[in-house]
Amino acid sequence: MMNNKRPGPAGTPGSSPPPAEKGPAIRADGLNVVRGGRTVIDDLSFEVAPATVTGLLGPSGCGKSTLMRAIVGTQANVDGTLDVLGRPAGARQLRSRVGYVTQNPSVYGDLTARQNLDYYAAVLGIPRRERAEQVTRALRDVDLLGHADSLTGNLSGGQHSRVSLAVALLGSPELLVLDEPTVGLDPVLRRDLWNLFHRLAGERGTTLLISSHVMDEADRCQNLLLMRAGRLLAADSPGALRARTHTGSVEDAFLHLVDAAREAEGATP
């Protein structure tokens, strides 16, 4: 069971409560996930600041996708504390506030890009009078207006993925959780998407958590969560990680931390 206990309100009788400070967009404390008898997420504790671009990096199989499913509330057997936008992960109130893009695009190939977005806008409960504007904006954000009326099944793999991203942008979510959104894309499109991610954070105040196993994308992020074998190796900015490990790249910093973790494991009786 996920434990999300909170203290009661502070303040003295008869006085106004202190103004609430905006807390982290994501807060995990002692987070564990066991699947098939195996610990997939092992005692993770971290915070993700609002309106930032945070990279979740690590090799395939290290637990990134499981962590993302836990954050959006679709992962079973989650233990520990996991708050998202001030509420327990998976709470009903978060459904319209969190956008999620999986590695496999979840859109319909027999609908056009515009029809897919219109369908999901209706599912999200966006009023009909606002749908056309929101659909057009989302298509423009991912540079798909020119293919809006093409069948999604006829689009390229990269365009297909961008339709899924456009769906996640509907309703202007406060948190976007993107599972390897740039894998397989050409360098120009990758650059354009990262520019979009930073624009969403800077201009709209959106928080983005973006997973990748490609270390050269790390420097595009403001903050990083580095994972290995279900555990968190580090949570810091790219520059701070390089400085702390006396290395010239995030990949070298990651390898340094992996070696240090192995040495610590070997020294444990």
Side-chain angles (χ1 to χ4, degrees):
M1 291 290 291
M2 188 177 294
N3 178 22
N4 285 283
K5 295 182 180 179
R6 293 182 177 76
T12 57
S15 66
S16 299
E21 295 184 1
K22 190 169 185 179
I26 303 171
R27 183 177 71 88
D29 187 13
L31 193 68
N32 295 278
V33 175
V34 177
R35 191 171 63 231
R38 184 173 69 92
T39 299
V40 183
I41 298 294
D42 189 1
D43 195 26
L44 296 192
S45 297
F46 63 88
E47 292 185 353
V48 173
T52 58
V53 178
T54 295
L56 176 61
L57 277 81
S60 297
C62 73
K64 300 188 301 295
S65 295
T66 299
L67 175 57
M68 290 187 146
R69 287 194 297 269
I71 289 169
V72 301
T74 62
Q75 177 62 51
N77 302 318
V78 180
D79 185 37
T81 299
L82 183 56
D83 288 341
V84 175
L85 302 176
R87 295 186 178 274
R92 173 182 289 272
Q93 297 90 336
L94 294 173
R95 291 181 183 175
S96 62
R97 301 174 65 193
V98 177
Y100 177 41
V101 178
T102 63
Q103 290 185 37
N104 297 318
S106 52
V107 290
Y108 297 99
D110 57 347
L111 298 179
T112 67
R114 190 187 305 277
Q115 288 169 337
N116 266 292
L117 267 66
D118 190 63
Y119 168 75
Y120 281 106
V123 171
L124 287 169
I126 297 173
R128 183 176 293 276
R129 63 182 179 278
E130 299 175 16
R131 285 182 205 164
E133 179 182 351
Q134 291 221 22
V135 166
T136 298
R137 185 182 71 172
L139 289 168
R140 183 183 299 113
D141 282 341
V142 300
D143 194 24
L144 274 181
L145 273 179
H147 300 278
D149 298 311
S150 300
L151 284 178
T152 305
N154 293 336
L155 298 177
S156 69
Q159 291 167 336
H160 206 261
S161 297
R162 280 187 281 160
V163 177
S164 288
L165 177 57
V167 169
L169 292 173
L170 291 170
S172 301
E174 298 166 57
L175 171 65
L176 275 176
V177 179
L178 310 177
D179 199 351
E180 305 209 355
T182 61
V183 169
L185 302 184
D186 66 77
V188 173
L189 183 53
R190 285 175 60 195
R191 179 202 63 192
D192 291 346
L193 282 182
W194 279 104
N195 287 341
L196 169 63
F197 299 153
H198 282 279
R199 190 165 69 248
L200 291 171
E203 297 178 4
R204 301 184 194 173
T206 309
T207 304
L208 295 99
L209 180 66
I210 303 169
S211 77
S212 179
H213 64 271
V214 181
M215 287 294 169
D216 66 4
E217 295 199 316
D219 281 308
R220 299 177 183 268
C221 303
Q222 294 165 284
N223 299 294
L224 297 172
L225 300 173
L226 298 185
M227 287 185 66
R228 171 182 173 266
R231 294 185 176 181
L232 192 65
L233 287 177
D236 217 328
S237 68
L241 282 171
R242 290 193 298 269
R244 176 153 62 93
T245 57
H246 305 289
T247 55
S249 69
V250 173
E251 181 173 0
D252 287 340
F254 177 81
L255 293 173
H256 175 91
L257 293 167
V258 168
D259 291 341
R262 285 175 174 168
E263 289 179 11
E265 291 167 1
T268 302

